[in-house]
Amino acid sequence: MPGDANQTPASEIIYTVTDEAPQLAAASLLPIVRRFASVAGLDVAERDISLAGRILAVFPDRLGDTQHQSDDLAWLGELVKTPAANVIKLPNISASVPQLEAAVAELQAQGYPVPDYPHDPQTDEEREIRARFDAVKGSAVNPVLREGNSDRRAPAAVKDYARNNPHSMGKWSADSKTRVSTMSGGDFRSNERSTTLDADATLSIVLKGASGETVLKDGIALPAGTIVDATYMSRAALMDFLADAIETTKEDGTLFSLHMKATMMKVSDPIIFGHAVRAYLEPVFEKYGDDLRAAGANPNGGLGSMLATIDGMENGAQIRAEIDEVLAERPPLYMVNSDKGITNLHVPSDVIIDASMPAVLRAGGKGWGPDGNEADTNCVIPDSSYAPVYDESVKFFKENGALDPATAGTVQNIGLMAKKAEEYGSHPTTFEIAEGGTVEVRSGDKVLLSHDAEAGDIWRMATTRREAVVNWVELALERKRLTGYRTVFWLDETRAHDAELLKMITPMLDGADDIAIMAPREATRDAFETIFAGKNTIAVTGNVLRDYLTDLYPILEVGTSAKMLSVVKLMQGGGLFETGAGGSAPKHVQQLVEQNHLRWDSLGEFCALAESLRFAGEAADDTALRVMGDTADAAITRLLGEGKSPGRKVGQDDNRDSHFHFALYWAEALAAQDTSPELAQKFAPLAQSLSEQADTIRAELKEGRGEAVDLGGYYRTDADKVAKVMRPSSTFNALIDG
């Protein structure tokens, strides 16, 4: 079992096997990490939480004896509940249905007999298969691992580098037509109802309709002090809103862009995304709706998958022609890839609000149109719970111009996410209502919360446990004590959930100095005013805003969120060290395959590694491990200062070159320090050899650049082929592996 008496944070680091560019980079970086850690007596083990690995893990009964994959996510889920946890977690795919189907197809082609994903399960067997896939779909990893609250911030070295080497920022104008459109009623925000349990309870969710009572979910055991929220989005209100947003966009002469998170909100947001596709192509659905349904052209999977299905239909050419006519009449769509004709409505997993909205803001309110040119855009965010953050950002930049990275302060974040807090833990209790009626949350015979809903409405329940809230407040106060920064809780007393949360935390904040509580809109403006003045602040937020803000402010401040330090202080004493965002990883893989250039920046991994080593050192009171962490930080600072991060184009340094320089600088820092003479003595020969053979290693690393490479797969690559691509220097390999 994980976390037994023989395992401590100082004896083993778990490094996660994930997906796409981060995992390809790991093939180069992990041997370096293992070589250095072993000198300090620390093991580094891998656990597979990749999309392909998780698919295989849920179908053990269908695999051959040599194909079995252990359920490493479940294993890690137990480990993070123990003091022994010391986990470095890389970005993984939160799979949309199209991604899930692509991974399944690749596994099948590789000889793994996993079943197809059943879109509309009709038999018990199909429903059971669908249930297994649903455990893999969307954000299935983070809620399992995040048994603690979040402390995210830009490392000092990263922030200093951004100030000295400011990234480009688009120019804002006061007359920009860019706007944020959101619902004014009938959405999750306006329909939310909340209560706090005064005793332990086992809840059920029941739909009372004309056909009788249907139990949607039961056996939901929750402790006293849990905040329970229930809400729904009206399909009718949503469709009216989308129709108005499309018309407003056309009147403004701007791009139409939809911003959601169909990966994390894996039940509700794909449905809303599908409604947006329907609304945009309403004339087509009115005329060919029956044909499209019969062919399985599901808009929830995006316009891209729909078009692929339509191409195989008997009247497909006719439908495609009408789609082209409608698109010509509608306002132009914001493009994910103008060159390839991929629109904002093509793939749900391409619409990730925490990445897409900061990109618009950084670009001066611009997005790319079908003509390949930048234009103002209508940013459509259906639910109004958090849309005010982006609306206020747009208004602030129109008034004040773009942020200057050379002088900007910083926004750190303390995020409430432990115990699957708030909306991000609501997947198992989110439902598309099958028939009109009343949805009730019951504790025994007592109705705690209820809504009258219509068929097609999306209803959900979320919970937030008191122990997670207490830990969150304690973490925020500790961070404030360490930094002295002004601290703001982003809570809206007029929102039902936040009102319950405020009842809970207000006594905890009694006597705390320089603590403010603001609704998200006001807090957004306050944060921008603070960092525009070159000062710093701590944003203390719920789970969704944690996700949104830790992309928004880093992208504006330092040019990316992939370089953030993300520490999850697990509630049982362990540590989870996350390595930044992976939203651009697919493009990085494409470039590697086509040009043998991987521009993925492993700075997030470097920062997580340094924190993990220090954590291990503190846990064991081990000076050597603390020195390992501190010298890794010194290597990061030197790497940035000497400009050895990956470039975007072939001919520049890439990920593999940066790994070599990190190893060189780390070894030299260890050899030069005097806190641990034993480590200095052990690393001096390696530092000397790396330095003396640097030119040879650099030349070997660059061999074959610009040429196509074979990885043996996308979702499940071939380890030998990846090693050949990612470790091309025999000289470097001999020094690291020897």
Side-chain angles (χ1 to χ4, degrees), residues 710-712 718-726:
D710 177 18
L711 303 175
D718 181 286
D720 291 336
K721 290 181 177 180
V722 170
K724 182 179 178 181
V725 172
M726 293 304 301

Side-chain angles (χ1 to χ4, degrees), residues 183-194 229-235 237-238 383-385 449-453 457-460 494-497:
M183 296 173 71
S184 59
D187 62 344
F188 292 126
R189 168 68 171 81
S190 60
N191 289 325
E192 187 173 70
R193 296 173 183 174
S194 301
D229 312 312
T231 187
Y232 74 98
M233 176 172 281
S234 163
R235 179 175 63 175
L238 172 63
D383 181 44
S384 63
S385 297
L449 302 165
S450 69
H451 294 95
D452 292 331
D457 292 350
I458 307 167
W459 186 97
R460 75 180 182 213
T494 68
R495 179 181 171 185
H497 167 76

Side-chain angles (χ1 to χ4, degrees), residues 4-70:
D4 62 31
N6 296 318
Q7 184 183 331
T8 71
S11 64
E12 184 176 63
I13 291 174
I14 302 296
Y15 201 91
T16 58
V17 176
T18 57
D19 305 283
E20 300 176 320
Q23 185 52 30
L24 295 172
S28 167
L29 179 60
L30 194 53
I32 299 168
V33 174
R34 282 188 164 133
R35 169 74 162 83
F36 279 66
S38 66
V39 177
L42 190 62
D43 292 330
V44 181
E46 290 180 278
R47 288 285 172 170
D48 188 348
I49 57 171
S50 67
L51 175 57
R54 288 182 283 122
I55 291 172
L56 295 178
V58 298
F59 290 106
D61 51 317
R62 292 174 177 261
L63 304 179
D65 292 341
T66 61
Q67 295 178 323
H68 279 199
Q69 167 69 49
S70 60

Side-chain angles (χ1 to χ4, degrees), residues 114 340-341 478 580 697:
V114 294
K340 295 187 176 182
E478 174 66 9
I697 292 170

Side-chain angles (χ1 to χ4, degrees), residues 259-305:
H259 302 267
M260 303 178 59
K261 191 145 189 180
T263 50
M264 186 68 79
M265 300 305 297
K266 63 182 181 180
V267 180
S268 60
D269 280 21
I271 298 171
I272 299 170
F273 186 94
H275 286 315
V277 174
R278 285 188 183 91
Y280 221 80
L281 299 178
E282 182 183 18
V284 176
F285 278 90
E286 286 182 353
K287 188 171 182 179
Y288 297 103
D290 291 341
D291 291 346
L292 293 170
R293 278 189 295 273
N298 186 354
N300 293 11
L303 182 58
S305 66

Side-chain angles (χ1 to χ4, degrees), residues 667-711:
E668 290 182 338
L670 281 161
Q673 56 79 36
D674 57 11
T675 304
S676 173
E678 182 180 0
L679 282 181
Q681 182 179 8
K682 288 180 177 179
F683 277 98
L686 178 61
Q688 182 177 352
S689 296
L690 290 172
S691 177
E692 290 175 348
Q693 301 190 59
D695 290 342
T696 299
I697 292 170
R698 291 189 188 103
E700 290 175 350
L701 287 172
K702 285 184 163 49
E703 289 178 3
R705 299 284 173 92
E707 301 174 3
V709 300
D710 177 18
L711 303 175

Side-chain angles (χ1 to χ4, degrees), residues 39-251:
V39 177
L42 190 62
D43 292 330
V44 181
E46 290 180 278
R47 288 285 172 170
D48 188 348
I49 57 171
S50 67
L51 175 57
R54 288 182 283 122
I55 291 172
L56 295 178
V58 298
F59 290 106
D61 51 317
R62 292 174 177 261
L63 304 179
D65 292 341
T66 61
Q67 295 178 323
H68 279 199
Q69 167 69 49
S70 60
D71 191 346
D72 287 355
L73 179 59
W75 188 92
L76 286 169
E78 293 302 313
L79 176 66
V80 294
K81 297 175 184 176
T82 75
N86 187 350
V87 181
I88 295 177
K89 191 263 175 186
L90 279 65
N92 64 279
I93 292 175
S94 295
S96 63
V97 171
Q99 288 174 306
L100 195 63
E101 291 180 312
V104 167
E106 180 174 290
L107 288 170
Q108 291 171 341
Q110 293 174 349
Y112 294 94
V114 294
D116 291 333
Y117 176 82
H119 284 272
D120 185 21
Q122 298 297 315
T123 66
D124 288 344
E125 181 184 12
E126 289 177 342
R127 282 187 282 271
E128 193 266 343
I129 291 171
R130 173 66 177 266
R132 295 198 208 185
F133 275 122
D134 285 348
V136 176
K137 188 172 64 178
S139 183
V141 172
N142 289 337
V144 174
L145 299 186
R146 288 172 171 170
E147 281 289 320
N149 292 307
S150 169
D151 177 356
R152 287 192 180 186
R153 55 192 184 273
V158 173
K159 188 66 178 170
D160 289 344
Y161 180 81
R163 287 193 177 109
N164 295 324
N165 303 271
H167 51 275
S168 62
M169 298 286 285
K171 185 177 180 180
W172 279 88
S173 64
D175 59 356
S176 168
K177 294 182 179 180
T178 290
R179 65 160 77 193
V180 171
S181 293
T182 192
M183 296 173 71
S184 59
D187 62 344
F188 292 126
R189 168 68 171 81
S190 60
N191 289 325
E192 187 173 70
R193 296 173 183 174
S194 301
T195 188
T196 301
L197 299 180
D198 56 11
D200 294 355
T202 300
L203 306 186
S204 61
I205 302 169
V206 179
L207 171 62
K208 294 167 55 179
S211 62
E213 290 193 353
T214 301
V215 177
L216 301 177
K217 186 82 172 178
D218 59 6
I220 307 168
L222 297 170
T226 298
I227 298 172
V228 181
D229 312 312
T231 187
Y232 74 98
M233 176 172 281
S234 163
R235 179 175 63 175
L238 172 63
M239 297 307 291
D240 287 345
F241 161 73
L242 290 169
D244 289 344
I246 292 168
E247 186 59 34
T248 298
T249 307
K250 189 169 185 177
E251 292 172 357

Side-chain angles (χ1 to χ4, degrees), residues 283-299 306 309-320 322-323:
V284 176
F285 278 90
E286 286 182 353
K287 188 171 182 179
Y288 297 103
D290 291 341
D291 291 346
L292 293 170
R293 278 189 295 273
N298 186 354
M306 272 190 61
T309 301
I310 290 169
D311 286 343
M313 295 171 61
E314 187 175 343
N315 58 346
Q318 184 179 349
I319 297 174
R320 283 293 295 259
E322 298 224 15
I323 288 175

